[in-house]
């Protein structure tokens, strides 16, 4: 997908918001703040407010209200205006002195009607009207204390944040994750009086919880707005059970019918369930610097797709631990710095070694332009060498300002290269390759026995040993890449040994990490008994079994494991690669596992007649634009793989891949 499509969609949406914020106190929720962060930056918002005493605040119940000298407020929200969100609005406004309130929601009015249980026929009659927004406007005036004050409620599609021309983030849906087989039991418990579901293939929109269904409708609302901006009529396809529901909802989204009639362009939107291949999410085969940065540096608070870069190196402070929080952190998003954004895109699209050399080249060129006393050195790039270049900018405030974005990316690179976790990356990769060979030659119980000696309590671990969190990542890798396997006595005994060892290790941790707290349900190791730990590990292995069986319903994409032979070692073939290769297969066979979702009677007739007549069924390669949406997120390496793969298979096709940060992947995978 070309840059103007993604960027202009985000920037035009924010321009509508910025037009409302002059001299206002601005409240943003986390997802909208992240969209702003990647799309146009907070500096653009500060300029639009135009007040030296500008106030940007997080939208939360404890947020500070507006004083007597602050009569205007703008609330920018990614969610439905309902429930706790409306209560928080009320509480903030009631303790303020506002006379003019603007509420911006990223969810359109049609979805608000659905959330308020308005039947589709009644909603159709309300086309062009916005009663839910109008009622809230009256409430806003009531809370401000004067019905003559001004209140506005409007929809602006703040769905995306553009990370690169081929990558877009959807921060508000970072927690949306596909279902696993065990979730069928949860759905059945929620509908005791209805027919029981047998497996994920029987799950449809009518069987989901109202909360999940509304989340999907909010996402569909944003994607429909994107298609409207692009001027395309979309054909929807799906790989996986939750993707099928999302694709069907977009295909039949009532507000989209009129805009599809006038759309001049065409696009294929393909949704893919992440759970079908978690090997790619947790593996270390991706030779990409950005992937390592996202994995090892601490997450930027309130964000799902960015990290904190320690900027103390550029100050006169000593790089001591107590000084870490005295200087605001840097980050990866550099929306207003063309040079830094060019480097960022280069880092996304190159291998680790080339990326590090690119960082050096940009630092050298910037230093040369500023006439800084740089000493050139060739050969291997080291963290010390990059640090010496960065220090050249240190004592010159003007130069620092000119190249602030570049220096943040440079420091992110240095801190990643020096991080102890980066040194373990190759250890992970070596062990994963060993596992691939073992899976082809041995039973699952033998593979688990290879892992058993690596499960060590904290008092026996060295820096080279695996922490409990890292062991969980390896387990996810093993079960996902193996796929369906036969359950026998040996496997039961092998799992039992690993379960017992893991439960004991959890209990002996001096401090529980956030992940272990979530898995065990204990906020302190003091409260964690062996019984609680063992129960948590049993549930964890239930999820692992589900992960192994996630592709059971697939006919074509049943495996991501390629067995070895006399000339090649066993390897992993990403499901996303298989999907893209099938989409652009020159023979154009009817896709087996890539389901087309019909958007009305015409599509149904076309599909039906194709069984008897030479009528071509819709195919995802029919259109010049491919939007690939991975429900659960993709890694940077996967996004690069798709970006490189599509032009080689079908030149001229544009792609857009939805990316969410996989830094929290283990939490999401193991606690569904």
């Amino acid at each position: 997908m070309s840059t103007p499509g993604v960027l202009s969609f985000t920037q035009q949406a924010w321009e509508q918001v910025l037009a409302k914020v002059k001299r206002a106190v601005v409240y943003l929720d986390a997802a909208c703040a992240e969209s702003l962060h990647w799309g146009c930056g907070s500096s653009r918002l500060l300029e639009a407010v135009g007040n030296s005493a500008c106030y940007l605040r997080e939208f939360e119940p404890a947020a500070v209200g507006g004083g007597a000298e602050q009569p205007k407020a703008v609330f920018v929200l990614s969610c439905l205006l309902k429930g706790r969100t409306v209560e928080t609005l009320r509480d903030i406004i009631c303790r303020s002195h506002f006379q003019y309130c603007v509420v911006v929601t990223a969810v359109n009015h049609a979805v608000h009607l659905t959330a308020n249980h308005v039947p589709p026929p009644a909603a159709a009659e309300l086309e062009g009207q916005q009663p839910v927004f109008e009622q809230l406007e009256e409430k806003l005036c009531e809370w401000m204390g004067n019905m003559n004050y001004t209140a506005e409620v409007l929809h602006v599609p703040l769905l995306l944040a553009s990370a690169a021309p081929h990558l877009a983030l959807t921060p508000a849906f970072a927690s949306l994750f596909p279902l696993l087989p065990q979730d069928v039991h949860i759905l059945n418990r929620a509908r005791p009086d209805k027919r029981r579901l047998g497996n994920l293939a029987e799950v449809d929109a009518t069987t989901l919880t109202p909360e999940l269904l509304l989340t999907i409708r909010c996402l569909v609302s944003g994607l429909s707005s994107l298609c409207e901006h692009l001027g395309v009529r979309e054909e929807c396809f799906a790989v996986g059970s939750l993707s099928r529901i999302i694709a069907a909802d977009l295909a039949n989204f009532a507000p989209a019918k009129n805009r599809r009639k006038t759309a001049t362009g065409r696009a294929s939107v393909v949704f893919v369930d992440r759970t079908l291949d978690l090997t790619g999410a947790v593996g270390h085969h991706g030779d990409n610097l950005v992937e390592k940065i996202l994995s090892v540096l601490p997450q930027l608070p309130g964000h799902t797709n960015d990290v904190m870069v320690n900027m103390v190196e550029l100050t006169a402070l000593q790089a001591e631990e107590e000084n870490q929080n005295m200087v605001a952190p840097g980050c990866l998003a550099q929306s207003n710095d063309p040079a830094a954004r060019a480097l960022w895109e280069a880092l996304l699209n190159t291998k680790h070694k080339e990326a590090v050399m690119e960082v050096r080249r940009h630092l050298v060129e910037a230093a040369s332009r500023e006439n800084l006393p740089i000493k050139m050195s060739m050969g291997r790039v080291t963290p010390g060498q990059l640090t010496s270049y960065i220090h050249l900018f240190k004592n010159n405030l003007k130069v620092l300002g000119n190249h602030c974005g570049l220096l943040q990316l440079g420091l992110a690179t240095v801190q990643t290269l020096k991080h102890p976790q980066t040194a373990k990356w190759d250890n992970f990769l070596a062990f994963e390759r060993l596992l691939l060979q073992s899976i082809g030659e041995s039973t699952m119980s033998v593979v688990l026995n290879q892992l058993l000696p690596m499960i060590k309590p904290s008092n026996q671990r060295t820096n080279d040993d695996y922490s409990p969190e890292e062991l969980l990542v390896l387990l996810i890798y093993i079960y996902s890449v193996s796929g369906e396997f036969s359950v026998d006595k040996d496997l039961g005994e092998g799992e039992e040994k690993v379960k017992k060892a893991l439960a004991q290790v959890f209990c002996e941790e001096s401090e529980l990490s956030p992940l272990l707290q979530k898995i065990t349900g204990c906020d302190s190791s003091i409260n964690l008994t062996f019984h609680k730990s063992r129960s948590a590990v049993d549930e964890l292995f239930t999820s692992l079994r589900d992960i192994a069986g996630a592709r059971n319903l697939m006919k074509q994409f049943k495996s991501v494991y390629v067995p070895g032979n006399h000339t090649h070692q066993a390897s992993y073939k990403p499901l996303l690669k298989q999907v893209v290769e099938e989409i652009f297969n020159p023979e154009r066979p009817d896709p087996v596992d890539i389901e087309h979702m019909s958007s009305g009677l015409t599509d149904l007739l076309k599909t039906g007649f194709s069984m008897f007549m030479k009528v071509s069924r819709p195919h995802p390669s029919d259109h010049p634009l491919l939007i690939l949406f991975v429900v659960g997120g993709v890694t940077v390496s996967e996004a690069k793989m798709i970006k490189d793969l599509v032009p080689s298979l079908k030149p001229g096709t544009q792609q857009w891949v939805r990316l969410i940060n996989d830094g929290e992947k283990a939490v999401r995978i193991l606690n569904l």
Side-chain angles (χ1 to χ4, degrees):
M1 183 175 182
S2 61
T3 307
V6 177
L7 286 176
S8 61
F9 176 65
T10 303
Q11 290 172 349
Q12 284 184 22
W14 277 104
E15 286 302 324
Q16 294 178 60
V17 176
L18 298 178
K20 298 287 185 181
V21 301
K22 189 173 183 180
R23 299 187 180 279
V25 180
V26 182
Y27 296 84
L28 301 102
D29 66 15
C32 285
E34 192 162 3
S35 173
L36 175 71
H37 178 71
W38 286 94
C40 53
S42 58
S43 60
R44 182 74 184 84
L45 179 60
L46 295 173
E47 290 170 10
V49 171
N51 188 342
S52 56
C54 171
Y55 295 94
L56 302 185
R57 293 172 182 166
E58 182 180 358
F59 180 77
E60 59 176 356
V64 177
E69 73 287 356
Q70 297 164 327
K72 182 180 177 182
V74 176
F75 299 86
V76 189
L77 309 174
S78 62
C79 53
L80 283 162
L81 303 178
K82 189 175 172 64
R84 291 290 298 274
T85 301
V86 172
E87 291 172 9
T88 302
L89 274 171
R90 179 198 63 203
D91 292 346
I92 294 173
I93 293 170
C94 286
R95 59 173 174 262
S96 303
H97 295 77
F98 300 136
Q99 299 173 29
Y100 182 3
C101 278
V102 180
V103 177
V104 177
T105 172
V107 182
N108 78 7
H109 187 265
V111 183
H112 282 83
L113 291 176
T114 302
N116 284 279
H117 311 293
V118 177
E125 293 177 9
L126 291 170
E127 187 174 356
Q129 303 175 55
Q130 297 189 330
V132 177
F133 289 177
E134 290 166 5
Q135 289 170 17
L136 182 57
E137 287 173 352
E138 291 184 10
K139 283 290 184 184
L140 293 173
C141 290
E142 182 182 316
W143 298 332
M144 285 188 284
N146 189 327
M147 299 306 291
N148 292 319
Y149 285 165
T150 305
E152 291 181 67
V153 179
L154 64 150
H155 161 240
V156 176
L158 300 170
L159 171 72
L160 298 181
S162 173
H166 66 289
L167 291 180
L169 318 175
T170 53
F173 302 96
S175 60
L176 181 63
F177 206 75
L179 305 174
L180 285 173
Q182 63 185 294
D183 295 307
V184 172
H185 305 302
I186 298 171
L187 294 174
N188 279 330
R189 286 201 296 269
R191 51 201 302 273
D193 302 328
K194 298 180 181 178
R195 182 181 66 83
R196 293 183 66 78
L197 303 168
N199 55 45
L200 286 174
E202 298 178 17
V203 175
D204 60 22
T206 64
T207 62
L208 297 182
T209 62
E211 295 80 10
L212 179 54
L213 201 56
L214 269 178
T215 299
I216 289 171
R217 184 58 58 86
C218 291
L219 171 61
V220 163
S221 156
L223 291 175
S224 180
S225 296
L226 171 66
C227 291
E228 181 177 13
H229 173 80
L230 297 173
V232 297
R233 175 183 173 180
E234 70 279 14
E235 294 279 2
C236 300
F237 301 85
V239 183
S241 56
L242 190 63
S243 287
R244 185 175 65 249
I245 295 170
I246 298 171
D249 203 48
L250 177 58
N252 295 282
F253 188 50
K257 290 181 178 177
N258 287 336
R259 61 108 176 140
R260 285 185 183 130
K261 292 175 184 176
T262 58
T264 55
R266 301 295 294 274
S268 295
V269 184
V270 181
F271 296 88
V272 181
D273 279 5
R274 173 79 267 180
T275 42
L276 296 173
D277 177 14
L278 291 174
T279 311
V282 299
H284 294 74
H285 41 266
D287 186 21
N288 185 277
L289 176 62
V290 175
E291 198 159 278
K292 294 175 184 177
I293 292 172
L294 291 170
S295 295
V296 305
L297 295 190
Q299 195 168 318
L300 193 63
H303 290 248
T304 57
N305 301 284
D306 209 342
V307 297
M308 290 195 293
V309 181
N310 188 340
M311 304 298 289
V312 172
E313 287 273 3
L314 292 174
T315 71
L317 291 171
Q318 295 295 315
E320 305 293 341
E321 190 170 339
E322 59 266 23
N323 293 330
Q324 304 300 308
N325 296 323
M326 293 182 67
V327 179
C331 60
L332 301 178
Q334 304 296 333
S335 53
N336 293 318
D337 187 334
R341 192 167 179 94
L343 174 58
W344 164 249
E345 291 177 12
L347 300 185
L348 287 172
N349 296 321
T350 54
K351 291 185 177 181
H352 175 99
K353 184 177 179 181
E354 289 83 356
V356 174
M357 292 176 69
E358 194 70 12
V359 172
R360 178 174 68 178
R361 184 177 70 82
H362 275 74
L363 287 171
V364 168
E365 289 180 357
S368 299
R369 284 196 300 271
E370 299 290 353
N371 295 317
L372 298 176
I374 191 164
K375 293 181 180 179
M376 289 294 296
S377 57
M378 303 302 291
R380 182 170 169 268
V381 183
T382 65
Q385 183 187 96
L386 294 178
T387 302
S388 68
Y389 294 157
I390 289 168
H391 281 174
L392 294 173
F393 297 79
K394 187 171 180 177
N395 297 316
N396 189 323
L397 194 58
K398 181 183 177 184
V399 169
L400 270 175
N402 290 343
H403 304 284
C404 186
L406 168 61
L407 295 172
Q408 289 175 65
L409 295 176
L411 283 169
T413 301
V414 170
Q415 289 160 27
T416 299
L417 294 176
K418 293 168 71 174
H419 200 283
Q421 282 300 111
T422 303
K424 291 180 77 171
W425 191 278
D426 289 340
N427 295 346
F428 269 105
L429 181 58
F431 188 62
E432 288 164 5
R433 286 174 174 167
L434 177 64
L435 287 172
L436 287 174
Q437 308 314 312
S438 299
I439 288 167
E441 300 166 1
S442 313
T443 62
M444 188 65 163
S445 60
V446 173
V447 174
L448 289 175
N449 283 334
Q450 288 181 318
L451 187 67
L452 197 57
M454 301 180 179
I455 305 175
K456 299 178 182 179
S458 57
N459 59 0
Q460 295 178 22
R461 289 198 301 265
T462 66
N463 291 335
D464 293 330
D465 290 319
Y466 295 109
S467 68
E469 296 84 355
E470 291 166 342
L471 291 167
L472 297 182
V473 166
L474 286 173
L475 281 168
I476 294 167
Y477 184 95
I478 292 169
Y479 278 78
S480 181
V481 78
S482 297
E484 192 175 13
F485 47 78
S486 58
V487 178
D488 54 23
K489 181 183 175 183
D490 288 342
L491 176 62
E493 290 176 354
E495 285 189 337
E496 185 63 28
K497 291 176 184 176
V498 173
K499 286 180 184 179
K500 187 176 179 180
L502 269 180
Q504 191 62 45
V505 164
F506 288 0
C507 286
E508 294 181 16
E509 289 295 294
S510 57
E511 188 176 338
L512 296 180
S513 67
L515 174 59
L516 293 186
Q517 289 178 31
K518 188 161 188 177
I519 289 173
T520 61
C522 292
D523 57 1
S524 170
S525 57
I526 299 172
N527 301 323
L528 182 59
T529 63
F530 182 80
H531 176 72
K532 286 181 181 177
S533 180
R534 180 55 198 260
S535 296
V537 171
D538 285 341
E539 289 182 24
L540 189 138
F541 269 78
T542 300
S543 293
L544 289 172
R545 288 278 186 97
D546 280 354
I547 288 167
R551 295 184 295 274
N552 286 356
L553 297 174
M554 296 285 105
K555 298 181 179 69
Q556 182 179 4
F557 305 132
K558 286 193 77 71
S559 178
V560 295
Y561 177 74
V562 181
N565 54 36
H566 296 300
T567 56
H568 296 96
Q569 289 188 328
S571 61
Y572 156 69
K573 185 173 183 180
L575 182 122
L576 286 176
K577 184 175 185 180
Q578 296 180 49
V579 169
V580 172
E581 286 179 345
E582 180 62 19
I583 289 173
F584 297 111
N585 186 333
E587 296 179 7
R588 283 177 56 92
D590 281 341
V592 178
D593 288 330
I594 306 174
E595 299 179 67
H596 174 251
M597 299 294 124
S598 61
S599 58
L601 184 60
T602 304
D603 278 347
L604 286 171
L605 289 173
K606 185 184 291 187
T607 303
F609 281 129
S610 69
M611 297 171 66
F612 310 104
M613 305 170 62
K614 289 186 177 180
V615 177
S616 61
R617 298 171 69 177
H619 193 279
S621 67
D622 288 340
H623 310 306
L625 174 62
L626 170 65
I627 299 175
L628 185 62
F629 192 106
V630 184
V631 183
V634 298
T635 66
V636 174
S637 294
E638 288 173 326
K640 179 184 181 301
M641 173 191 71
I642 295 163
K643 178 181 179 293
D644 295 341
L645 183 62
V646 172
S648 69
L649 297 172
K650 188 178 180 182
T653 302
Q654 299 170 307
Q655 337 105 51
W656 166 55
V657 183
R658 180 253 189 173
L659 168 70
I660 69 170
N661 178 38
D662 65 315
E664 296 179 300
K665 59 194 172 227
V667 175
R668 296 206 301 269
I669 291 164
L670 298 169
N671 288 272
L672 297 178

